[in-house]
Amino acid sequence: MKAIIEVLTVSFKLGCTSFGGPTAHLGYFHQEYVGRRRWIDERSYADLVALAQFLPGPASSQVGIGIGLLRAGWLGGVAAWIGFTMPSVILLILFALLMQGFDIGNSGWIHGLKIVAVSIVAQAVLSMGLKLTPDRSRATLAILAAAITLLWQTAASQIVLLLAAGGIGLFLYKHSEVAGSSHSALTMPISKRSGMICLGLFLALLIGLPIVRQVVGGEGLFGLFESFYRSGSLVFGGGHVVLPLLEKEVVPTGWMSKADFLTGYGAAQAVPGPLFTLAAYLGAMISGVKGALVGTAAIFLPAFLLMAGALPFWNTLRQNKKVQGALVGVNAAVVGILLAALYNPLWITAVQQPEDFVLAILLFGMLVYWKLPPWLVVLAGAVGGMLLV
């Protein structure tokens, strides 16, 4: 019990102070878990980061969950997730309740938050594009993915795209050095049987929940859980990629307006912790505090099941060139999907006049060239939005 409380305390502190997105989170984790507390060595930490990059879901949260599992078993993994996620969940629930109570959806600072979202996703597209599409074939795959995403506006389109991109990557890169490998070993106190149970549960929920939803109906908390679980299961490439998935789940269904969705996305940039906690805001807007808790649990559950399920097999799996090649293709398609989201819904909703574009450029420069912290960029965007109105 002492180890569990220790994991919860340390992860909560990180959840209160970790600004800057998943890459920055991993730096904070390294400083705290490897450097200061020595809960995990350099090699094992590198293995955990590699696995989190391989799996769909929020990479930084999955690394934290893995460290919690290492430190204090199954309850340690849960404690690590709760501690790191709780601060931003609370803040975004409060923000959602404020939005509902005061009808401030058309305020100038809300418009500024939408422009902030444009700049932050543009930065993510640039950064991910440089890393994941550095050659002609992968850039072409990303362009095709962006075009198909924009022209084929259905919830199924992104699932089909990711599967197709994985197949193309398997064909093009299975013998390539693009998908490099590591030979460091990771010791994890989870049996292969337990791992198989977690992976089986992940697949059973992913396949079974939509079927059950068709039978019982798509409204209410169950429909919310199914939508968010499916979104959390299909996110490769970082938290920003969840934006188009969630937007297609909550806006076309009438659960909320596009403006309210983008407002929440902008607010999520201003709080510490994982971007996946946007689900808390969306759930609160749809069904109050219950909806926030259900949405948050649903979107993170796949990450937990996949991390716990894959760890016992990771040392073997990561050496498989076919698996690595498929991942290369998926990552390239992710860049295209995020590029499409930059245009729709972000750009067409937030940038409506030259002044909006000027503010977006300034915020982009603050992020990319001046290297200012995201919370300061969000504050500048909110102030800028008020000045534009």
Side-chain angles (χ1 to χ4, degrees), residues 54 138 141 164-180 317-332:
F54 179 85
R138 281 180 282 178
L141 185 56
I168 294 171
L170 175 63
F171 176 76
L172 292 178
Y173 295 106
K174 63 182 178 181
H175 299 305
S176 172
E177 293 302 320
V178 167
L317 187 63
R318 68 188 303 189
Q319 309 302 324
N320 189 310
K321 287 291 186 180
K322 292 182 179 179
V323 174
Q324 294 171 350
L327 184 62
V328 170
V330 169
N331 284 336

Side-chain angles (χ1 to χ4, degrees), residues 190-228:
I190 299 177
S191 67
K192 289 187 176 181
R193 181 182 178 184
S194 296
M196 288 297 296
I197 291 173
C198 288
L199 294 177
L201 181 58
F202 164 78
L203 289 174
L205 291 172
L206 182 61
I207 297 170
L209 286 175
I211 297 173
V212 176
R213 185 177 180 182
Q214 289 293 325
V215 176
V216 303
E219 300 299 325
L221 293 177
F222 181 81
L224 180 68
F225 185 92
E226 190 278 326
S227 290
F228 283 33

Side-chain angles (χ1 to χ4, degrees), residues 89-279:
V89 166
I90 293 172
L91 290 172
L92 289 173
I93 289 174
L94 293 175
F95 180 75
L97 296 178
L98 179 67
M99 285 283 295
Q100 291 174 326
F102 291 92
D103 189 24
I104 54 177
N106 294 318
S107 301
W109 67 275
I110 295 294
H111 180 63
L113 289 182
K114 298 174 186 176
I115 298 176
V116 168
V118 171
S119 301
I120 288 177
V121 173
Q123 180 203 29
V125 170
L126 176 63
S127 175
M128 292 172 62
L130 291 173
K131 294 177 182 177
L132 301 178
T133 60
D135 53 57
R136 183 168 60 183
S137 60
R138 281 180 282 178
T140 301
L141 185 56
I143 292 170
L144 288 174
I148 293 171
T149 300
L150 288 171
L151 298 176
W152 185 18
Q153 295 280 334
T154 68
S157 63
Q158 292 177 19
I159 301 174
V160 174
L161 267 176
L162 291 175
L163 291 174
I168 294 171
L170 175 63
F171 176 76
L172 292 178
Y173 295 106
K174 63 182 178 181
H175 299 305
S176 172
E177 293 302 320
V178 167
S181 62
S182 171
H183 300 281
S184 56
L186 178 66
T187 302
M188 192 71 188
I190 299 177
S191 67
K192 289 187 176 181
R193 181 182 178 184
S194 296
M196 288 297 296
I197 291 173
C198 288
L199 294 177
L201 181 58
F202 164 78
L203 289 174
L205 291 172
L206 182 61
I207 297 170
L209 286 175
I211 297 173
V212 176
R213 185 177 180 182
Q214 289 293 325
V215 176
V216 303
E219 300 299 325
L221 293 177
F222 181 81
L224 180 68
F225 185 92
E226 190 278 326
S227 290
F228 283 33
Y229 181 88
R230 180 159 35 85
S231 297
S233 301
L234 301 172
V235 175
F236 287 87
H240 292 288
V241 185
V242 81
L243 170 70
L245 291 174
L246 286 176
E247 191 270 341
K248 284 181 171 57
E249 294 295 331
V250 302
V251 175
T253 57
W255 274 342
M256 70 177 56
S257 68
K258 185 177 291 188
D260 285 341
F261 176 81
L262 294 178
T263 298
Y265 184 75
Q269 312 299 324
V271 299
L275 185 58
F276 267 48
T277 53
L278 171 63

